[in-house]
Amino acid sequence: MRIVFATSNPHKLKELKEIADSFGAEDIEFVLPPEGFDPDETGTTFEENSLIKAKEAHRLTGLPALADDSGLCVECLNGEPGIYSARYADTPQARIDKLLKAVEPFENRNAKFVCAMTLIGQDGDVIFADRGECHGTIAKTQAGNGGFGYDPVFLVKGKNGLTMAELSEEEKNEVSHRGNALRKVLEFLK
Ligand code: ITT
């Protein structure tokens, strides 16, 4: 079965393939939308933006489409950067710096990663949608080189003070919002 994965983020694709492989979903081939794929994310929720991306990838390819809209929600920032995580500042490092500064005055550093996935079938209808979450706190300083995005400042609950970027790929995929969301999609497809 071929499914177009509605993203232009290579990190997401890499993780998606690793998670699908470890689930044993070898019969699914994930392909990318045409180059330049960049629909306007005009939704106000992860779910809405995920649907926008899946619909556009299906429109362009005619294939079943899966989209991932994700981000980091920080309690003391009223859920920000949230759906604006990719647009919070210009570069990955600037986004981390801005986040650490914003959280600095607060004692409560609780946060969660969220991933909303939407699967659209061959005929263009939504056939499955769900979300995965991963809970933790924002670190005082960044650590680790794995993963991407905000991983170096996200201390994963239950992982002894390690950031997401200090976990192995397998460990991240086991606990991550993306892993939790994708395994629900793959269970549905099974
Ligand atoms: P596409 O829309 O093309 O899929 P994107 O990166 O713009 O790519 P999103 O709009 O869903 O995707 O924004 C997700 C952002 O949230 C991402 O760029 C990171 O800043 C952050 N993020 C999501 N998942 C993450 C993860 O596993 N680790 C660290 N940061 C993550």
Side-chain angles (χ1 to χ4, degrees):
M1 180 185 201
R2 288 178 89 209
I3 298 180
V4 59
F5 184 44
T7 191
S8 56
N9 181 329
H11 301 286
K12 285 187 183 178
L13 179 68
K14 180 172 177 287
E15 291 183 2
L16 181 96
K17 286 182 169 166
E18 289 165 0
I19 297 161
D21 281 354
S22 73
F23 188 88
E26 289 94 3
D27 50 332
I28 302 176
E29 184 197 353
F30 289 106
V31 297
L32 282 175
E35 193 141 338
F37 174 80
D38 190 19
D40 272 347
E41 296 182 29
T42 51
T44 56
T45 62
F46 291 110
E47 281 75 11
E48 283 173 15
N49 283 336
S50 174
L51 176 61
I52 289 170
K53 289 190 259 192
K55 270 189 181 161
E56 179 65 356
H58 175 265
R59 190 184 69 80
L60 291 170
T61 62
L63 290 171
L66 176 67
D68 159 327
D69 197 66
S70 46
L72 178 67
C73 302
V74 183
E75 264 183 31
C76 65
L77 305 179
N78 300 315
E80 283 185 9
I83 60 166
Y84 302 105
S85 293
R87 300 166 262 178
Y88 193 50
D90 287 342
T91 65
Q93 188 59 51
R95 292 192 270 280
I96 284 179
D97 294 342
K98 183 175 173 184
L99 180 75
L100 289 179
K101 203 156 181 223
V103 171
E104 207 172 50
F106 299 98
E107 221 161 273
N108 172 9
R109 300 176 77 96
N110 292 339
K112 64 180 178 184
F113 275 122
V114 174
C115 174
M117 287 200 169
T118 305
L119 179 65
I120 284 187
Q122 190 80 52
D123 58 4
D125 293 334
V126 173
I127 53 174
F128 186 79
D130 210 332
R131 64 156 60 186
E133 295 189 351
C134 177
H135 293 252
T137 53
I138 302 303
K140 294 245 159 90
T141 53
Q142 67 190 88
N145 298 311
F148 68 100
Y150 298 91
D151 284 346
V153 289
F154 186 82
L155 294 166
V156 187
K157 192 174 173 186
K159 289 285 174 189
N160 296 323
L162 293 178
T163 69
M164 194 75 112
E166 292 178 296
L167 301 184
S168 68
E169 286 168 1
E170 293 75 25
E171 283 173 315
K172 174 176 177 180
N173 293 335
E174 246 171 56
V175 297
S176 79
H177 48 314
R178 185 159 297 105
N180 290 330
L182 183 59
R183 282 186 289 272
K184 291 185 200 178
V185 175
L186 297 173
E187 275 300 337
F188 168 79
L189 285 172
K190 208 157 75 173

